[in-house]
Amino acid sequence: MSVPETVLAAMRQTNDLFSDVVGRRDFDGLDRVYTRNARVLPPGAEMVEGRQQIKAFWRGAIVGLGLKSVKLTIVDAEAVGDRVFEIGRAELLVGSGDTVTVKYVVQWKQEDGHWKWHVDIWNMNQ
Amino acid sequence: MSVPETVLAAMRQTNDLFSDVVGRRDFDGLDRVYTRNARVLPPGAEMVEGRQQIKAFWRGAIVGLGLKSVKLTIVDAEAVGDRVFEIGRAELLVGSGDTVTVKYVVQWKQEDGHWKWHVDIWNMNQ
């Protein structure tokens, strides 16, 4: 099923929050991005479960990469039951000045009235 | 929701078909693994859409890597609407004799009475 425009708008708002986390190094902002039991499957590491572990992961990854900004684009989104399955694209500006293109799949779930990332996996195009 | 044992058994059967594709280089076997409109998001390449493109991708990847065998393990599966959302783990035996550990997310969908991979994304742990 297609995703109502109101939900897409809410998803874009969450994506913007993530960009803010990266831009401002405000890792507590991840509380509004990931569900409490979220799982992140990053390239080059084991799966990370739960919000505290996810915060620690992103702190290390964002600081480690010298990540300056992230732009997220929804490529496709489908409503399935009470979830949304998204295929997306990210442009990362890293410390070296290079741009890295990433594709991802996110399973979205509502928590406390907000649409959040419940499962998050990605990889690089190059 | 938890996934009924009958569905898990059907999923394992599909996973075994994929292992057969790798072991026997029988790429037409992928018809029974992927839905017609499936999408594959492989590391190091752009997204691949549709079964013919997916066959071409796997032919290149399996022959290119000299992939000898694949063992797939369902780590977690959740029924959402008419789909199943799986987090899994793969052990790949490649031409060099090395084993590569992969984690993946697959969205499963029923097509022609079979459970198949509808969205497939993975990355390496190392």
Side-chain angles (χ1 to χ4, degrees), chain B residues 68-80:
Chain B
K68 288 178 182 166
S69 68
V70 173
K71 186 181 182 306
L72 301 171
T73 306
I74 299 171
V75 172
D76 187 60
E78 187 180 15
V80 182

Side-chain angles (χ1 to χ4, degrees), chain B residues 14-66:
Chain B
T14 301
N15 287 349
D16 288 345
L17 288 172
F18 184 76
S19 297
D20 284 350
V21 166
V22 172
R24 302 208 304 248
R25 302 288 197 261
D26 166 26
F27 298 103
D28 284 332
L30 291 169
D31 292 342
R32 291 176 296 161
V33 174
Y34 285 98
T35 63
R36 271 181 285 275
N37 301 315
R39 282 175 287 192
V40 170
L41 293 87
E46 292 279 346
M47 181 165 72
V48 180
E49 298 193 56
R51 219 188 255 153
Q52 294 312 314
Q53 300 301 322
I54 289 172
K55 283 187 196 181
F57 163 76
W58 276 119
R59 186 184 297 271
I62 290 171
V63 174
L65 281 170

Side-chain angles (χ1 to χ4, degrees), chain A residues 3 9 13 39 67 74 82 91:
Chain A
V3 179
Q13 208 165 23
R39 282 173 290 189
L67 199 58
I74 298 170
D82 61 352
E91 301 287 338

Side-chain angles (χ1 to χ4, degrees), chain A residues 4 8 11 17 23-24 30 38 44 73 77 88 93 95-96 102-103 114:
Chain A
L8 285 171
M11 289 165 60
L17 287 172
R24 302 207 307 247
L30 291 170
T73 305
L93 182 61
S96 60
V102 166
K103 56 193 175 313
H114 296 282

Side-chain angles (χ1 to χ4, degrees), chain A:
Chain A
M1 271 176 47
S2 65
V3 179
E5 185 52 47
T6 49
V7 174
L8 285 171
M11 289 165 60
R12 285 190 205 102
Q13 208 165 23
T14 301
N15 286 350
D16 288 346
L17 287 172
F18 184 75
S19 298
D20 285 351
V21 166
V22 171
R24 302 207 307 247
R25 304 287 196 262
D26 165 27
F27 299 102
D28 284 332
L30 291 170
D31 292 343
R32 290 174 299 161
V33 174
Y34 285 99
T35 63
R36 271 181 285 275
N37 300 315
R39 282 173 290 189
V40 170
L41 293 86
E46 292 279 346
M47 181 165 72
V48 180
E49 299 193 55
R51 216 187 256 152
Q52 293 312 314
Q53 299 300 321
I54 288 172
K55 283 187 195 180
F57 163 76
W58 276 119
R59 185 185 297 271
I62 290 170
V63 173
L65 281 171
L67 199 58
K68 289 178 181 169
S69 68
V70 173
K71 186 180 181 308
L72 301 172
T73 305
I74 298 170
V75 172
D76 186 59
E78 186 181 15
V80 182
D82 61 352
R83 310 290 165 87
V84 172
F85 293 107
E86 180 203 359
I87 293 174
R89 188 178 181 88
E91 301 287 338
L92 278 55
L93 182 61
V94 294
S96 60
D98 290 335
T99 300
V100 178
T101 302
V102 166
K103 56 193 175 313
Y104 63 81
V105 167
V106 166
Q107 185 202 128
W108 292 76
K109 186 180 179 181
Q110 260 190 309
E111 183 187 78
D112 307 331
H114 296 282
W115 283 95
K116 298 184 182 181
W117 303 353
H118 191 52
V119 179
D120 180 20
I121 181 170
W122 67 94
N123 60 42
M124 268 63 88
N125 281 9
Q126 286 86 27

